[in-house]
Amino acid sequence: MNSDEIISNSPEETQAIAKSLVESRPDLCTIALHGELGAGKTCFVQGLAAALDINEPITSPTFTIINEYDGTRKLQHMDLYRLSSPDEVLALGFEDYLSENSIIAIEWPDRAEELLPAETVHVYLKAMDQPDCRSITIRSKK
Ligand SMILES: Nc1ncnc2c1ncn2[C@@H]1O[C@H](COP(=O)(O)OP(=O)(O)OP(=O)(O)O)[C@@H](O)[C@H]1O
Ligand SMILES: [Mg+2]
């Protein structure tokens, strides 16, 4: 799925866009979430969780690096912000996570760029002039 730029006008709309991505792509595995601090990456993951019937609150794994949730599919939520090299990402057992049948949502995926599977869906979030607006673009090879 390659989307044109989608404009989200609220956190709820960003979550709804994430939810429709899960619903339109049952084969979805790895999602790389690109965007600056506060762009809405964790907000997007909250929408993924809603699509998987996960009712726990989704909080940022900035310090834990990985949070795992059980839903209709397992969700692994990673925030690689504090890591600086692919070696550190590998040391987390990154490749083992990829081999599980879970949805893996990765914030700050540039830390792991060369480790991402080719079928990764890339989501680009960008702040806009109005405070609650975000530009969202979704790109994948398929
Ligand atoms: N349209 C929107 N989509 C997403 N978030 C929005 C939107 N409008 C306002 N926000 C607010 O922007 C903030 C986004 O925070 P969030 O934690 O999702 O960012 P992040 O990209 O994960 O940042 P970080 O890199 O620090 O983890 C939230 O406070 C959210 O309520
Ligand atoms: Mg975040």
Side-chain angles (χ1 to χ4, degrees):
M1 171 190 180
N2 286 315
S3 80
D4 292 329
E5 180 183 44
I6 309 167
I7 303 298
S8 160
N9 294 296
S10 67
E12 293 73 23
E13 275 188 37
T14 295
Q15 289 162 5
I17 291 162
K19 196 161 183 259
S20 64
L21 174 65
V22 174
E23 287 161 359
S24 66
R25 289 283 302 261
D27 61 332
L28 192 66
C29 286
T30 313
I31 307 172
L33 295 162
H34 304 266
E36 296 302 320
L37 291 167
K41 302 179 292 298
T42 298
C43 180
F44 194 94
V45 177
Q46 288 162 349
L48 300 176
L52 301 174
D53 288 334
I54 293 166
N55 298 315
E56 284 172 74
I58 304 297
T59 54
S60 178
T62 304
F63 295 97
T64 51
I65 310 213
I66 304 171
N67 286 344
E68 185 176 303
Y69 303 91
D70 282 318
T72 51
R73 288 178 69 190
K74 199 189 273 182
L75 173 67
Q76 313 277 2
H77 179 195
M78 300 187 187
D79 185 332
L80 305 181
Y81 184 70
R82 286 157 54 84
L83 304 187
S84 50
S85 72
D87 282 350
E88 286 181 26
V89 178
L90 279 175
L92 291 173
F94 188 73
E95 290 172 316
D96 299 333
Y97 288 105
L98 294 181
S99 63
E100 287 188 36
N101 176 33
S102 50
I103 292 190
I104 305 174
I106 308 172
E107 299 190 34
W108 300 97
D110 52 310
R111 276 53 165 171
E113 201 154 12
E114 65 225 58
L115 306 173
L116 296 175
E119 62 273 17
T120 298
V121 173
H122 293 267
V123 178
Y124 299 87
L125 295 122
K126 225 166 46 195
M128 302 185 73
D129 286 344
Q130 299 95 318
D132 288 342
C133 289
R134 300 290 188 272
S135 150
I136 301 176
T137 307
I138 301 173
R139 299 250 173 267
S140 71
K141 283 204 168 154
K142 280 201 275 179

